[in-house]
Amino acid sequence: MSLDQAKAAINKIKTDNAFREEIMAVSDVGKRVELLNKRGFQCTMAEIEHLTTPDLKFDLKCGEMVMPLTCPDVKT
């Protein structure tokens, strides 16, 4: 598990509409991470959250994020 895998998952979610819809169809956040792992992205919820914290200025808008339990204030 790595931040690189988490970044790759986030980028696929951002760029692949069908993949994003598949992931977003799962309402439970933990199950979303499980699905990401089944789809080949070996990452954890903690790694996703680490990348989406405002201080890292990761270029995701809240509406495009998949993993957070609550929508953090992510700077764009």
Side-chain angles (χ1 to χ4, degrees):
M1 296 185 204
S2 72
L3 289 177
D4 289 337
Q5 286 287 302
K7 285 179 189 178
I10 290 168
N11 285 330
K12 179 144 177 98
I13 290 163
K14 287 173 54 178
T15 61
D16 184 327
N17 290 336
F19 184 74
R20 180 174 51 251
E21 289 175 12
E22 176 186 11
I23 299 300
M24 291 302 293
V26 178
S27 60
D28 181 86
V29 176
K31 300 259 187 225
R32 287 180 185 168
V33 174
E34 289 178 19
L35 182 56
L36 284 173
N37 282 273
K38 287 179 185 177
R39 297 295 179 260
F41 298 99
Q42 299 304 309
C43 57
T44 65
M45 183 66 200
E47 291 165 336
I48 297 287
E49 288 174 341
H50 177 74
L51 291 173
T52 57
T53 57
D55 58 312
L56 293 177
K57 296 181 178 129
F58 202 77
D59 66 345
L60 289 177
K61 292 181 182 174
C62 181
E64 296 172 345
M65 293 174 57
V66 172
M67 295 302 131
L69 293 171
T70 60
C71 191
D73 295 324
V74 178
K75 296 178 184 176
T76 56

